[in-house]
Amino acid sequence: MQTNFRGKTLTREDVERAMDRFDREFRDNFRRWKIYSVKHNDKRYPPKELLRLLVGEIGSLSGGEPTNRYFRDLGFQIGMGKSEDELGVPEQIVAEAIDTSLSLEADLEEALAANLAQLEKGLRLYEEQSSFGRQFDAKAAGRIDLLAVDSQQSI
């Protein structure tokens, strides 16, 4: 089983080695924990930090599904951040807050896409063959929520 992250092939064994390294070198002092975690052997790991350990600098990679899918591809389960004991907040409350946040983001994206010309005259969603300007896959750069072109056809 393997997956590809920005041109580098990753295996489940690679991820498990990164987890071992995280446990040895970073777990006790790691403070940049966000919302999601990769679950393995009754432990949780921060997905972005695992990717950094695997490939080095990852830039401004989006969290959530754009990051988690690499671990799902390798058969890992994704959970909500640290354990409930570590967070002090039940997972259900965190999950509901994330759902609300994602709903607000989707609503904002919808409103912006429908009203691009109000932002700038002649602005419209990018469109080329089978590619469209919503949730645009910019390959190694990641996903772009909205990609637009102006009246001079500049992106």
Side-chain angles (χ1 to χ4, degrees), residues 2-149:
Q2 63 186 34
T3 190
N4 234 325
F5 177 76
R6 296 187 180 168
K8 180 171 173 127
T9 300
L10 304 175
T11 66
R12 186 176 176 92
E13 293 76 25
D14 293 330
V15 174
E16 289 172 347
R17 281 192 293 277
M19 290 171 166
D20 289 341
R21 182 174 172 208
F22 180 84
D23 287 337
R24 285 190 319 273
E25 299 177 22
F26 303 104
R27 181 170 292 281
D28 292 336
N29 298 312
F30 191 76
R31 300 288 179 256
R32 293 187 314 250
W33 203 284
K34 298 293 181 185
I35 296 171
Y36 294 101
S37 64
V38 179
K39 296 179 179 182
H40 183 63
N41 289 341
D42 297 322
K43 292 183 183 176
R44 296 169 186 246
Y45 298 86
K48 287 184 184 179
E49 192 61 25
L50 288 178
L51 283 176
R52 282 185 190 94
L53 292 172
L54 288 160
V55 300
E57 182 53 43
I58 61 171
S60 60
L61 179 67
S62 297
E65 192 53 30
T67 299
N68 296 339
R69 70 181 173 95
Y70 299 106
F71 299 102
R72 280 198 183 96
D73 288 349
L74 296 172
F76 291 101
Q77 286 187 326
I78 302 300
M80 303 303 296
K82 296 180 180 182
S83 69
E84 184 175 318
D85 292 339
E86 294 170 298
L87 284 172
V89 179
E91 282 190 26
Q92 182 60 30
I93 291 173
V94 173
E96 288 172 7
I98 291 168
D99 287 345
T100 299
S101 174
L102 293 174
S103 176
L104 291 172
E105 181 181 359
D107 291 345
L108 177 59
E109 180 182 321
E110 184 69 36
L112 286 170
N115 296 288
L116 283 174
Q118 289 184 11
L119 297 172
E120 180 182 316
K121 187 175 180 177
L123 197 62
R124 61 180 177 76
L125 280 177
Y126 171 84
E127 185 177 336
E128 183 179 288
Q129 296 171 351
S130 64
S131 295
F132 299 96
R134 291 193 65 177
Q135 300 300 314
F136 183 81
D137 182 6
K139 307 297 180 223
R143 179 183 46 85
I144 299 172
D145 291 338
L146 290 172
L147 181 63
V149 294

